[in-house]
Amino acid sequence: EAGVTQFPSHSVIEKGQTVTLRCDPISGHDNLYWYRRVMGKEIKFLLHFVKESKQDESGMPNNRFLAERTGGTYSTLKVQPAELEDSGVYFCASSPRQGVLSVEQYFGPGTRLTVT
Amino acid sequence: DQQVKQNSPSLSVQEGRISILNCDYTNSMFDYFLWYKKYPAEGPTFLISISSIKDKNEDGRFTVFLNKSAKHLSLHIVPSQPGDSAVYFCAASDTGNTPLVFGKGTRLSVIA
């Protein structure tokens, strides 16, 4: 079974430009999460999808960030326009529908975003 | 304000000895606690979890202990191996299917 994949692995853009990150969750996983880790800090929650619906977007920093999950499969996270403080590693994670014994989330390798 | 705290940024242990990683939390609503391991340039990998109704969970060389009254959990690795060298994140959740709240991580170095 393929794991969570993310594209690109690394992106370097200038302040003011737009970047789109993509996440492909594990097949059949309804839950998809986006997290971000700024250097040296904790991994912070951004957004949670259940299938194609946004369940919780309380972690989104501001309206420069837009996430979509059309069709309930892959998801994109667009940053427009990018600012210096958006630099960090963006992780995507997925998990199946709620099961009694399973709370773990499966993470992708992350996209390292550098805004210069 | 951080709800999950890992106060030791790093830990160095000799191969074969026990590694003990600590985690404290402030939110009494947390029901599940998880440990993730992370190698450079990779995503976090799930290691072991514990529900709040238990005080211990064991999986091979890894054991997690939970002290609810102290709002403290710890991960024990015994015996430690060089391949265990990684950053370990403590995470918590109030129910399944909700976002995880992470600590800042502890970098474990196991010296041969």
Side-chain angles (χ1 to χ4, degrees), chain B residues 36-93:
Chain B
Y36 280 82
K37 175 180 178 178
K38 186 183 176 308
Y39 291 119
E42 294 184 10
T45 301
F46 171 74
L47 203 54
I48 191 168
S49 65
I50 189 166
S51 135
S52 62
I53 63 172
K54 294 186 173 183
D55 55 19
K56 177 182 173 181
N57 189 25
E58 194 171 350
D59 183 1
R61 296 186 297 115
F62 304 91
T63 303
V64 56
F65 295 93
L66 175 63
N67 182 335
K68 279 192 70 177
S69 61
K71 293 192 179 68
H72 177 84
L73 62 151
S74 61
L75 174 68
H76 292 212
I77 307 172
V78 56
S80 301
Q81 300 173 353
D84 295 331
S85 297
V87 178
Y88 289 78
F89 289 96
C90 174
S93 167

Side-chain angles (χ1 to χ4, degrees), chain A residues 31 33 35 42 48 98 105 107-108, chain B residues 36 43-44 97-100 103:
Chain A
N31 292 296
Y33 304 83
Y35 294 87
E42 68 270 29
H48 173 203
Q98 183 170 9
Q105 299 174 13
F107 281 76
Chain B
Y36 280 82
N97 287 347
T98 56
L100 297 176

Side-chain angles (χ1 to χ4, degrees), chain A residues 37-42, chain B residues 104-105:
Chain A
R37 187 184 189 207
V38 173
M39 187 183 296
K41 304 221 169 175
E42 68 270 29
Chain B
K104 289 188 179 181

